[in-house]
Amino acid sequence: MLNRKITTSIHYLFTLLLLIFWSVAVNADAIDWMGTQVQVNDSITSTNTMSSTIQSTTEAIATITLVKRTSQLDTTLANQYLNTVADMTTEILARKIIASSNLGQDVTVQTSELLDLQNPDGGFGEFGGYGSTVLDTSLALQALKIAGVTDNQIIGGAVAFLIQNQNGDGSFALSSINQSSIVATHALQ
């Protein structure tokens, strides 16, 4: 009986170690692949993607900082690329805040610009004064959380907008055409 417990324990330990080493190898391969996707303008994107260059670059920075492998790929250059983008939709501004904050940079000015885009209904639209959307409000909430904004009126207004626009089944519609999406659930964590 004791031998069986020891054998089972060794099996579980071996499996755990295997998973840890496999995870590190997969992360290294993923980061190495991202390194091959750096473009001349220092963005990180692939020609085989449906996402915008801004989206793929900010997601790459988030992934690299999440797995704490920034030394393998120069995320500073990718962030410099993001700072050259003049188009200031709520989505882009929120993504810039998230990326810069993940890299430990000051986002006070960008956060102030984002706060200026909040609508009276508590949500955020594509631009200041545009109708609030679930997607823009979700991204703004994620950015505000990462930036350390804790003002209950600001955060509460955005959360209230999302709750008011939640479908009966708990999902969120991105538009009148799209019946449901999971995108807002991350912002409500």
Side-chain angles (χ1 to χ4, degrees):
M1 183 75 158
L2 184 59
N3 280 342
R4 187 173 193 179
K5 286 183 180 182
I6 292 171
T7 303
T8 302
S9 296
I10 290 172
H11 174 72
Y12 286 127
L13 180 61
F14 177 74
T15 303
L16 178 63
L17 289 173
L18 184 62
L19 287 172
I20 290 170
F21 289 123
W22 177 76
S23 174
V24 170
V26 169
N27 287 340
D29 289 345
I31 301 302
D32 290 345
W33 178 83
M34 280 189 240
T36 68
Q37 304 306 306
V38 176
Q39 305 300 309
V40 175
N41 64 357
D42 295 320
S43 64
I44 304 171
T45 192
S46 169
T47 56
N48 299 327
T49 183
M50 290 176 32
S51 65
S52 72
T53 304
I54 301 284
Q55 292 168 333
S56 59
T57 302
T58 56
E59 292 300 325
I61 290 172
T63 301
I64 292 163
T65 56
L66 180 66
V67 297
K68 300 181 183 2
R69 297 273 314 245
T70 54
S71 62
Q72 299 296 317
L73 186 61
D74 191 351
T75 53
T76 305
L77 293 175
N79 200 49
Q80 286 174 359
Y81 157 75
L82 292 175
N83 290 328
T84 66
V85 176
D87 184 17
M88 277 302 151
T89 65
T90 297
E91 177 184 357
I92 291 173
L93 188 53
R95 288 181 178 281
K96 284 181 170 185
I97 291 168
I98 293 166
S100 295
S101 186
N102 280 335
L103 295 173
Q105 297 178 352
D106 181 39
V107 293
T108 305
V109 172
Q110 293 163 319
T111 302
S112 178
E113 291 172 4
L114 181 60
L115 290 171
D116 288 343
L117 301 177
Q118 189 169 25
N119 289 323
D121 65 3
F124 292 79
E126 185 175 4
F127 293 99
Y130 279 48
S132 297
T133 68
V134 168
L135 178 61
D136 289 311
T137 303
S138 299
L139 288 167
L141 264 176
Q142 290 175 40
L144 294 173
K145 178 181 176 183
I146 287 174
V149 174
T150 58
D151 185 305
N152 287 336
Q153 187 173 356
I154 292 167
I155 302 301
V159 169
F161 172 82
L162 290 177
I163 291 170
Q164 289 170 353
N165 288 279
Q166 189 171 20
N167 294 330
D169 65 359
S171 65
F172 296 87
L174 292 180
S175 68
S176 58
I177 299 168
N178 183 334
Q179 294 301 314
S180 67
S181 174
I182 194 168
V183 73
T185 57
H186 184 66
L188 292 174
Q189 291 179 340

